[in-house]
Short mmCIF file of all heavy atoms in Angstrom, two decimals:
data_model
loop_
_atom_site.label_atom_id
_atom_site.label_comp_id
_atom_site.label_asym_id
_atom_site.label_seq_id
_atom_site.Cartn_x
_atom_site.Cartn_y
_atom_site.Cartn_z
N MET O 1 -5.67 93.74 29.30
CA MET O 1 -4.70 93.39 28.17
C MET O 1 -5.43 92.87 27.01
O MET O 1 -6.13 91.83 27.10
CB MET O 1 -3.69 92.45 28.71
CG MET O 1 -2.60 92.16 27.66
SD MET O 1 -1.48 93.53 27.33
CE MET O 1 -0.54 92.87 26.02
N LYS O 2 -5.28 93.50 25.86
CA LYS O 2 -6.00 92.99 24.72
C LYS O 2 -4.87 92.44 23.68
O LYS O 2 -3.80 93.00 23.61
CB LYS O 2 -6.63 94.17 23.94
CG LYS O 2 -8.12 94.28 24.36
CD LYS O 2 -8.79 95.32 23.49
CE LYS O 2 -10.25 95.50 23.80
NZ LYS O 2 -10.93 96.47 23.01
N CYS O 3 -5.34 91.41 22.99
CA CYS O 3 -4.33 90.82 22.06
C CYS O 3 -4.19 91.78 20.89
O CYS O 3 -5.13 92.18 20.27
CB CYS O 3 -4.95 89.45 21.56
SG CYS O 3 -3.95 88.65 20.30
N PRO O 4 -2.89 92.03 20.52
CA PRO O 4 -2.63 92.90 19.40
C PRO O 4 -3.02 92.26 18.02
O PRO O 4 -3.14 92.89 17.03
CB PRO O 4 -1.15 93.11 19.52
CG PRO O 4 -0.60 91.94 20.25
CD PRO O 4 -1.71 91.51 21.19
N LYS O 5 -3.16 90.96 18.06
CA LYS O 5 -3.43 90.15 16.83
C LYS O 5 -4.91 90.20 16.50
O LYS O 5 -5.34 90.50 15.41
CB LYS O 5 -2.95 88.76 16.97
CG LYS O 5 -2.10 88.38 15.80
CD LYS O 5 -1.59 86.93 16.06
CE LYS O 5 -0.77 86.39 14.91
NZ LYS O 5 -0.27 85.05 15.16
N CYS O 6 -5.73 89.79 17.49
CA CYS O 6 -7.14 89.58 17.29
C CYS O 6 -7.98 90.46 18.17
O CYS O 6 -9.22 90.48 17.99
CB CYS O 6 -7.50 88.10 17.40
SG CYS O 6 -7.45 87.54 19.14
N GLY O 7 -7.40 91.11 19.17
CA GLY O 7 -8.17 91.92 20.09
C GLY O 7 -8.87 91.10 21.19
O GLY O 7 -9.74 91.63 21.85
N GLY O 8 -8.55 89.89 21.26
CA GLY O 8 -9.17 89.06 22.31
C GLY O 8 -8.67 89.23 23.65
O GLY O 8 -7.73 90.06 23.85
N LYS O 9 -9.11 88.47 24.61
CA LYS O 9 -8.73 88.70 25.94
C LYS O 9 -7.41 87.91 26.18
O LYS O 9 -7.27 86.65 25.81
CB LYS O 9 -9.84 88.10 26.87
CG LYS O 9 -9.62 88.62 28.30
CD LYS O 9 -10.73 88.05 29.20
CE LYS O 9 -10.54 88.48 30.63
NZ LYS O 9 -11.55 87.90 31.52
N MET O 10 -6.49 88.55 26.91
CA MET O 10 -5.24 87.91 27.20
C MET O 10 -5.11 87.64 28.69
O MET O 10 -5.58 88.42 29.53
CB MET O 10 -4.06 88.80 26.69
CG MET O 10 -4.10 88.99 25.19
SD MET O 10 -2.56 89.60 24.56
CE MET O 10 -1.68 88.03 24.21
N MET O 11 -4.42 86.51 29.01
CA MET O 11 -4.29 86.14 30.39
C MET O 11 -2.74 86.09 30.71
O MET O 11 -1.94 85.71 29.92
CB MET O 11 -4.92 84.80 30.62
CG MET O 11 -6.05 84.88 31.60
SD MET O 11 -6.83 83.28 31.80
CE MET O 11 -5.66 82.44 32.80
N TRP O 12 -2.44 86.59 31.89
CA TRP O 12 -1.06 86.49 32.34
C TRP O 12 -0.82 85.05 32.79
O TRP O 12 -1.45 84.61 33.74
CB TRP O 12 -0.88 87.50 33.48
CG TRP O 12 0.55 87.51 34.01
CD1 TRP O 12 0.99 86.96 35.18
CD2 TRP O 12 1.70 88.13 33.33
NE1 TRP O 12 2.39 87.21 35.25
CE2 TRP O 12 2.80 87.90 34.13
CE3 TRP O 12 1.82 88.85 32.12
CZ2 TRP O 12 4.06 88.41 33.84
CZ3 TRP O 12 3.12 89.29 31.83
CH2 TRP O 12 4.18 89.15 32.70
N GLU O 13 0.13 84.39 32.22
CA GLU O 13 0.42 83.05 32.59
C GLU O 13 1.88 82.82 32.80
O GLU O 13 2.73 83.54 32.29
CB GLU O 13 0.02 82.14 31.45
CG GLU O 13 -1.50 81.90 31.44
CD GLU O 13 -1.93 80.87 30.36
OE1 GLU O 13 -1.10 80.36 29.74
OE2 GLU O 13 -3.17 80.71 30.25
N ARG O 14 2.14 81.83 33.66
CA ARG O 14 3.55 81.53 33.95
C ARG O 14 3.82 80.18 33.27
O ARG O 14 3.09 79.23 33.30
CB ARG O 14 3.76 81.40 35.40
CG ARG O 14 4.26 82.75 36.02
CD ARG O 14 4.58 82.62 37.44
NE ARG O 14 3.38 82.65 38.25
CZ ARG O 14 3.32 82.55 39.61
NH1 ARG O 14 4.54 82.56 40.21
NH2 ARG O 14 2.26 82.59 40.28
N TYR O 15 5.04 80.18 32.72
CA TYR O 15 5.42 78.96 32.02
C TYR O 15 6.74 78.44 32.68
O TYR O 15 7.49 79.17 33.23
CB TYR O 15 5.78 79.24 30.56
CG TYR O 15 4.59 79.92 29.85
CD1 TYR O 15 4.54 81.29 29.79
CD2 TYR O 15 3.61 79.16 29.28
CE1 TYR O 15 3.56 81.91 29.11
CE2 TYR O 15 2.56 79.75 28.63
CZ TYR O 15 2.58 81.13 28.51
OH TYR O 15 1.50 81.77 27.93
N GLN O 16 6.90 77.16 32.57
CA GLN O 16 8.09 76.59 33.10
C GLN O 16 8.74 75.75 31.99
O GLN O 16 8.15 74.85 31.38
CB GLN O 16 7.84 75.69 34.33
CG GLN O 16 9.10 75.22 35.01
CD GLN O 16 8.85 74.63 36.31
OE1 GLN O 16 7.73 74.47 36.81
NE2 GLN O 16 9.90 74.16 37.01
N GLU O 17 10.06 76.06 31.80
CA GLU O 17 10.79 75.32 30.84
C GLU O 17 12.06 74.85 31.53
O GLU O 17 12.94 75.61 31.89
CB GLU O 17 11.19 76.27 29.64
CG GLU O 17 11.53 75.43 28.43
CD GLU O 17 11.59 76.42 27.20
OE1 GLU O 17 12.73 76.90 27.02
OE2 GLU O 17 10.58 76.57 26.50
N MET O 18 12.15 73.52 31.68
CA MET O 18 13.24 72.88 32.42
C MET O 18 13.33 73.51 33.81
O MET O 18 12.42 73.38 34.61
CB MET O 18 14.58 73.09 31.67
CG MET O 18 14.55 72.59 30.27
SD MET O 18 14.35 70.73 30.22
CE MET O 18 15.98 70.21 30.60
N THR O 19 14.30 74.33 34.04
CA THR O 19 14.42 74.95 35.37
C THR O 19 14.09 76.43 35.37
O THR O 19 14.07 77.08 36.40
CB THR O 19 15.89 74.75 35.99
OG1 THR O 19 16.79 75.30 34.95
CG2 THR O 19 16.18 73.27 36.20
N ASP O 20 13.82 76.98 34.18
CA ASP O 20 13.54 78.36 34.08
C ASP O 20 12.01 78.59 34.15
O ASP O 20 11.24 77.87 33.49
CB ASP O 20 14.08 78.96 32.78
CG ASP O 20 15.57 78.97 32.80
OD1 ASP O 20 16.17 79.20 33.89
OD2 ASP O 20 16.13 78.74 31.73
N ILE O 21 11.62 79.56 34.96
CA ILE O 21 10.22 79.96 34.95
C ILE O 21 10.08 81.33 34.44
O ILE O 21 10.78 82.27 34.92
CB ILE O 21 9.65 79.85 36.46
CG1 ILE O 21 9.78 78.44 36.94
CG2 ILE O 21 8.19 80.34 36.48
CD1 ILE O 21 9.46 78.30 38.45
N PHE O 22 9.22 81.55 33.39
CA PHE O 22 9.00 82.85 32.91
C PHE O 22 7.55 83.09 32.72
O PHE O 22 6.73 82.17 32.61
CB PHE O 22 9.81 83.12 31.64
CG PHE O 22 9.57 82.06 30.61
CD1 PHE O 22 8.64 82.30 29.59
CD2 PHE O 22 10.31 80.86 30.62
CE1 PHE O 22 8.51 81.30 28.59
CE2 PHE O 22 10.15 79.88 29.65
CZ PHE O 22 9.23 80.15 28.62
N ALA O 23 7.19 84.32 32.61
CA ALA O 23 5.76 84.66 32.49
C ALA O 23 5.51 85.51 31.27
O ALA O 23 6.40 86.16 30.75
CB ALA O 23 5.33 85.45 33.69
N GLY O 24 4.33 85.48 30.76
CA GLY O 24 3.98 86.25 29.56
C GLY O 24 2.42 86.26 29.39
O GLY O 24 1.65 85.59 30.09
N TRP O 25 2.05 87.05 28.41
CA TRP O 25 0.62 87.12 28.16
C TRP O 25 0.23 86.11 27.08
O TRP O 25 0.97 85.83 26.15
CB TRP O 25 0.31 88.53 27.55
CG TRP O 25 0.47 89.60 28.55
CD1 TRP O 25 1.49 90.41 28.77
CD2 TRP O 25 -0.58 90.01 29.53
NE1 TRP O 25 1.25 91.27 29.83
CE2 TRP O 25 -0.04 91.05 30.34
CE3 TRP O 25 -1.87 89.55 29.86
CZ2 TRP O 25 -0.72 91.65 31.38
CZ3 TRP O 25 -2.55 90.13 30.87
CH2 TRP O 25 -2.00 91.18 31.61
N HIS O 26 -0.92 85.51 27.37
CA HIS O 26 -1.36 84.41 26.46
C HIS O 26 -2.81 84.72 26.01
O HIS O 26 -3.66 84.93 26.85
CB HIS O 26 -1.27 83.08 27.25
CG HIS O 26 -1.81 81.88 26.44
ND1 HIS O 26 -2.68 80.98 26.91
CD2 HIS O 26 -1.52 81.55 25.14
CE1 HIS O 26 -2.98 80.11 25.97
NE2 HIS O 26 -2.23 80.42 24.90
N CYS O 27 -3.00 84.78 24.76
CA CYS O 27 -4.34 85.07 24.28
C CYS O 27 -5.19 83.90 24.28
O CYS O 27 -4.90 82.78 23.88
CB CYS O 27 -4.22 85.59 22.77
SG CYS O 27 -5.89 85.97 22.05
N LEU O 28 -6.39 84.10 24.87
CA LEU O 28 -7.32 82.99 25.01
C LEU O 28 -8.06 82.65 23.73
O LEU O 28 -8.56 81.60 23.48
CB LEU O 28 -8.43 83.29 26.13
CG LEU O 28 -7.85 83.52 27.53
CD1 LEU O 28 -8.99 84.02 28.40
CD2 LEU O 28 -7.28 82.23 28.09
N ASN O 29 -8.05 83.69 22.82
CA ASN O 29 -8.77 83.52 21.57
C ASN O 29 -7.89 82.83 20.46
O ASN O 29 -8.32 81.83 19.91
CB ASN O 29 -9.21 84.89 21.12
CG ASN O 29 -10.38 84.84 20.11
OD1 ASN O 29 -11.12 83.91 20.18
ND2 ASN O 29 -10.31 85.73 19.17
N CYS O 30 -6.74 83.45 20.21
CA CYS O 30 -5.94 82.91 19.04
C CYS O 30 -4.65 82.20 19.51
O CYS O 30 -4.00 81.60 18.73
CB CYS O 30 -5.62 84.04 18.11
SG CYS O 30 -4.38 85.21 18.69
N GLY O 31 -4.36 82.38 20.82
CA GLY O 31 -3.17 81.66 21.34
C GLY O 31 -1.92 82.40 21.20
O GLY O 31 -0.83 81.86 21.34
N GLU O 32 -2.04 83.71 20.85
CA GLU O 32 -0.82 84.53 20.75
C GLU O 32 -0.14 84.62 22.02
O GLU O 32 -0.74 84.79 23.11
CB GLU O 32 -1.26 85.92 20.22
CG GLU O 32 -0.07 86.91 20.24
CD GLU O 32 0.75 86.90 19.00
OE1 GLU O 32 0.69 85.88 18.28
OE2 GLU O 32 1.46 87.83 18.71
N MET O 33 1.19 84.59 21.99
CA MET O 33 1.96 84.68 23.25
C MET O 33 2.90 85.86 23.20
O MET O 33 3.54 86.06 22.18
CB MET O 33 2.73 83.40 23.55
CG MET O 33 1.87 82.46 24.35
SD MET O 33 2.50 80.80 24.54
CE MET O 33 4.18 80.81 24.45
N ILE O 34 2.88 86.64 24.32
CA ILE O 34 3.77 87.80 24.26
C ILE O 34 4.64 87.74 25.59
O ILE O 34 4.07 87.69 26.64
CB ILE O 34 2.95 89.05 24.31
CG1 ILE O 34 2.18 89.20 23.05
CG2 ILE O 34 3.87 90.33 24.40
CD1 ILE O 34 1.24 90.40 22.95
N ASP O 35 5.90 87.80 25.32
CA ASP O 35 6.81 87.83 26.44
C ASP O 35 7.06 89.29 26.85
O ASP O 35 6.96 90.16 26.03
CB ASP O 35 8.21 87.22 26.07
CG ASP O 35 8.06 85.66 25.97
OD1 ASP O 35 7.50 85.12 26.91
OD2 ASP O 35 8.48 85.12 24.96
N PRO O 36 7.38 89.52 28.09
CA PRO O 36 7.70 90.83 28.55
C PRO O 36 8.88 91.41 27.75
O PRO O 36 8.84 92.65 27.47
CB PRO O 36 8.15 90.64 29.97
CG PRO O 36 7.52 89.36 30.51
CD PRO O 36 7.38 88.54 29.25
N GLU O 37 9.73 90.57 27.34
CA GLU O 37 10.93 91.07 26.55
C GLU O 37 10.46 91.60 25.21
O GLU O 37 10.84 92.62 24.77
CB GLU O 37 11.92 89.96 26.33
CG GLU O 37 13.36 90.39 26.46
CD GLU O 37 14.28 89.23 26.49
OE1 GLU O 37 14.42 88.55 27.51
OE2 GLU O 37 14.89 88.99 25.41
N ILE O 38 9.48 90.86 24.60
CA ILE O 38 8.91 91.26 23.34
C ILE O 38 8.19 92.59 23.47
O ILE O 38 8.26 93.46 22.67
CB ILE O 38 7.98 90.15 22.72
CG1 ILE O 38 8.82 88.88 22.49
CG2 ILE O 38 7.33 90.65 21.56
CD1 ILE O 38 7.93 87.70 22.14
N MET O 39 7.49 92.70 24.61
CA MET O 39 6.70 93.89 24.86
C MET O 39 7.67 95.10 24.91
O MET O 39 7.44 96.11 24.32
CB MET O 39 6.02 93.76 26.24
CG MET O 39 4.83 92.86 26.21
SD MET O 39 3.38 93.64 25.66
CE MET O 39 3.02 94.72 27.03
N VAL O 40 8.81 94.93 25.60
CA VAL O 40 9.75 96.00 25.72
C VAL O 40 10.30 96.43 24.37
O VAL O 40 10.34 97.57 24.02
CB VAL O 40 10.93 95.63 26.65
CG1 VAL O 40 12.04 96.61 26.59
CG2 VAL O 40 10.41 95.45 28.14
N ASN O 41 10.54 95.40 23.56
CA ASN O 41 11.04 95.67 22.26
C ASN O 41 10.00 96.38 21.37
O ASN O 41 10.29 97.29 20.58
CB ASN O 41 11.43 94.36 21.51
CG ASN O 41 12.71 93.81 22.01
OD1 ASN O 41 13.48 94.52 22.59
ND2 ASN O 41 12.91 92.55 21.88
N ARG O 42 8.69 96.05 21.61
CA ARG O 42 7.62 96.70 20.84
C ARG O 42 7.42 98.14 21.28
O ARG O 42 7.10 99.00 20.47
CB ARG O 42 6.34 95.92 20.99
CG ARG O 42 6.32 94.71 20.10
CD ARG O 42 5.03 94.06 20.12
NE ARG O 42 5.03 92.77 19.35
CZ ARG O 42 4.08 91.89 19.32
NH1 ARG O 42 2.97 92.12 19.97
NH2 ARG O 42 4.24 90.83 18.65
N ILE O 43 7.61 98.37 22.55
CA ILE O 43 7.42 99.72 23.10
C ILE O 43 8.54 100.62 22.69
O ILE O 43 8.38 101.68 22.20
CB ILE O 43 7.21 99.67 24.63
CG1 ILE O 43 5.89 98.90 24.88
CG2 ILE O 43 7.15 101.11 25.24
CD1 ILE O 43 5.76 98.48 26.43
N PHE O 44 9.74 100.17 23.02
CA PHE O 44 10.89 101.06 22.80
C PHE O 44 11.57 100.81 21.45
O PHE O 44 12.41 101.65 21.07
CB PHE O 44 11.96 100.75 23.90
CG PHE O 44 11.42 101.09 25.25
CD1 PHE O 44 11.04 100.07 26.15
CD2 PHE O 44 11.29 102.36 25.68
CE1 PHE O 44 10.54 100.30 27.42
CE2 PHE O 44 10.81 102.69 26.98
CZ PHE O 44 10.42 101.61 27.83
N GLY O 45 11.16 99.75 20.74
CA GLY O 45 11.75 99.48 19.48
C GLY O 45 13.07 98.86 19.63
O GLY O 45 13.76 98.96 20.67
N PRO O 46 13.49 98.18 18.56
CA PRO O 46 14.82 97.53 18.60
C PRO O 46 15.95 98.61 18.75
O PRO O 46 15.92 99.65 18.11
CB PRO O 46 14.92 96.77 17.25
CG PRO O 46 13.93 97.44 16.39
CD PRO O 46 12.84 98.01 17.30
N VAL O 47 16.89 98.21 19.59
CA VAL O 47 18.04 99.16 19.77
C VAL O 47 18.87 99.25 18.55
O VAL O 47 19.42 98.26 18.14
CB VAL O 47 18.80 98.68 21.02
CG1 VAL O 47 20.02 99.66 21.24
CG2 VAL O 47 17.97 98.67 22.27
N GLU O 48 18.94 100.43 18.04
CA GLU O 48 19.70 100.63 16.83
C GLU O 48 21.00 101.38 17.18
O GLU O 48 20.96 102.43 17.69
CB GLU O 48 18.90 101.41 15.83
CG GLU O 48 19.18 100.99 14.39
CD GLU O 48 18.23 101.63 13.43
OE1 GLU O 48 17.11 101.24 13.40
OE2 GLU O 48 18.66 102.57 12.78
N ARG O 49 22.07 100.77 16.79
CA ARG O 49 23.37 101.42 17.05
C ARG O 49 23.74 102.22 15.86
O ARG O 49 23.82 101.73 14.73
CB ARG O 49 24.36 100.38 17.37
CG ARG O 49 24.28 99.89 18.79
CD ARG O 49 25.42 99.00 19.15
NE ARG O 49 25.16 98.38 20.50
CZ ARG O 49 25.95 97.44 21.02
NH1 ARG O 49 26.95 96.98 20.29
NH2 ARG O 49 25.71 96.94 22.23
N LYS O 50 23.98 103.47 16.09
CA LYS O 50 24.36 104.40 15.07
C LYS O 50 25.89 104.17 14.86
O LYS O 50 26.67 104.23 15.75
CB LYS O 50 24.04 105.79 15.37
CG LYS O 50 22.58 106.07 15.19
CD LYS O 50 22.35 107.58 15.45
CE LYS O 50 20.85 107.79 15.30
NZ LYS O 50 20.48 109.21 15.76
N LYS O 51 26.20 104.13 13.55
CA LYS O 51 27.67 104.07 13.26
C LYS O 51 28.21 105.45 13.37
O LYS O 51 27.76 106.45 12.84
CB LYS O 51 27.80 103.58 11.82
CG LYS O 51 27.64 102.07 11.75
CD LYS O 51 27.81 101.60 10.33
CE LYS O 51 27.53 100.07 10.26
NZ LYS O 51 27.55 99.67 8.84
N ARG O 52 29.33 105.44 14.07
CA ARG O 52 29.92 106.75 14.26
C ARG O 52 30.94 107.07 13.15
O ARG O 52 31.87 106.23 12.84
CB ARG O 52 30.66 106.77 15.59
CG ARG O 52 29.78 107.05 16.70
CD ARG O 52 30.50 107.24 18.04
NE ARG O 52 30.79 108.58 18.31
CZ ARG O 52 31.50 108.93 19.34
NH1 ARG O 52 32.00 108.08 20.19
NH2 ARG O 52 31.81 110.24 19.63
N ARG O 53 30.65 108.18 12.51
CA ARG O 53 31.64 108.55 11.50
C ARG O 53 32.17 109.98 11.85
O ARG O 53 31.67 110.90 11.39
CB ARG O 53 30.86 108.61 10.12
CG ARG O 53 30.87 107.26 9.46
CD ARG O 53 30.33 107.43 8.02
NE ARG O 53 30.31 106.11 7.36
CZ ARG O 53 29.85 105.98 6.16
NH1 ARG O 53 29.30 106.95 5.49
NH2 ARG O 53 29.88 104.81 5.63
N GLY O 54 33.07 109.87 12.69
CA GLY O 54 33.60 111.19 13.19
C GLY O 54 35.00 111.44 12.76
O GLY O 54 35.78 112.11 13.45
N ARG O 55 35.29 110.93 11.59
CA ARG O 55 36.71 111.17 11.13
C ARG O 55 36.81 112.61 10.50
O ARG O 55 36.03 112.98 9.65
CB ARG O 55 37.05 110.18 10.14
CG ARG O 55 37.50 108.88 10.71
CD ARG O 55 38.00 107.87 9.65
NE ARG O 55 38.21 106.54 10.26
CZ ARG O 55 38.43 105.51 9.53
NH1 ARG O 55 38.57 105.54 8.22
NH2 ARG O 55 38.59 104.31 10.08
N LYS O 56 37.76 113.27 11.01
CA LYS O 56 38.02 114.56 10.41
C LYS O 56 39.36 114.59 9.71
O LYS O 56 40.34 113.96 10.09
CB LYS O 56 38.03 115.57 11.57
CG LYS O 56 36.68 116.08 11.99
CD LYS O 56 36.79 117.07 13.08
CE LYS O 56 35.39 117.47 13.58
NZ LYS O 56 35.46 118.44 14.67
N ARG O 57 39.32 115.28 8.59
CA ARG O 57 40.52 115.37 7.79
C ARG O 57 41.42 116.52 8.35
O ARG O 57 40.94 117.57 8.68
CB ARG O 57 40.20 115.73 6.34
CG ARG O 57 40.18 114.49 5.51
CD ARG O 57 40.24 114.98 4.06
NE ARG O 57 39.64 113.88 3.16
CZ ARG O 57 39.41 114.07 1.94
NH1 ARG O 57 39.57 115.30 1.40
NH2 ARG O 57 38.92 113.15 1.19
N LYS O 58 42.68 116.16 8.45
CA LYS O 58 43.56 117.18 8.89
C LYS O 58 44.28 117.75 7.73
O LYS O 58 44.95 117.03 6.95
CB LYS O 58 44.63 116.59 9.88
CG LYS O 58 44.05 116.56 11.30
CD LYS O 58 45.15 116.13 12.25
CE LYS O 58 44.69 116.15 13.65
NZ LYS O 58 45.65 115.56 14.59
N ASN O 59 44.16 119.02 7.55
CA ASN O 59 44.83 119.70 6.43
C ASN O 59 46.28 120.09 6.83
O ASN O 59 46.50 120.69 7.80
CB ASN O 59 44.08 120.95 6.03
CG ASN O 59 42.76 120.50 5.27
OD1 ASN O 59 42.75 119.43 4.65
ND2 ASN O 59 41.79 121.33 5.44
N GLY O 60 47.19 119.77 5.97
CA GLY O 60 48.57 120.23 6.24
C GLY O 60 49.24 119.10 6.93
O GLY O 60 50.26 119.19 7.45
ZN1 ZN J 101 -5.43 86.82 19.98
#
């Protein structure tokens, strides 16, 4: 795993916040942190909801 910011080495680390434990990538070089959730967003992109405009005019 390479850091997208500086290309440094990243380490998989687990963090604990209160009672929640989560894991993510931590750059040893610049300290960039990447959560799995962020990764998913970067890969698949933010979910964009298309507005539906399916109104049809009725003649008569
Ligand atoms: Zn980095």
Side-chain angles (χ1 to χ4, degrees):
M1 182 70 185
K2 266 187 179 179
C3 175
K5 227 178 180 180
C6 70
K9 197 181 179 183
M10 298 197 92
M11 246 178 73
W12 182 257
E13 281 184 6
R14 266 184 283 183
Y15 308 92
Q16 188 169 358
E17 200 170 87
M18 300 299 279
T19 54
D20 292 324
I21 298 171
F22 52 97
W25 290 98
H26 179 228
C27 178
L28 298 173
N29 200 34
C30 74
E32 171 85 342
M33 269 171 26
I34 298 175
D35 286 310
E37 220 172 282
I38 295 169
M39 287 276 290
V40 170
N41 284 339
R42 279 188 188 173
I43 293 167
F44 297 105
V47 178
E48 214 173 286
R49 281 187 186 172
K50 282 181 183 175
K51 282 180 184 173
R52 279 185 94 182
R53 276 188 176 175
R55 277 188 192 171
K56 278 183 183 176
R57 262 197 204 169
K58 272 186 182 178
N59 289 329

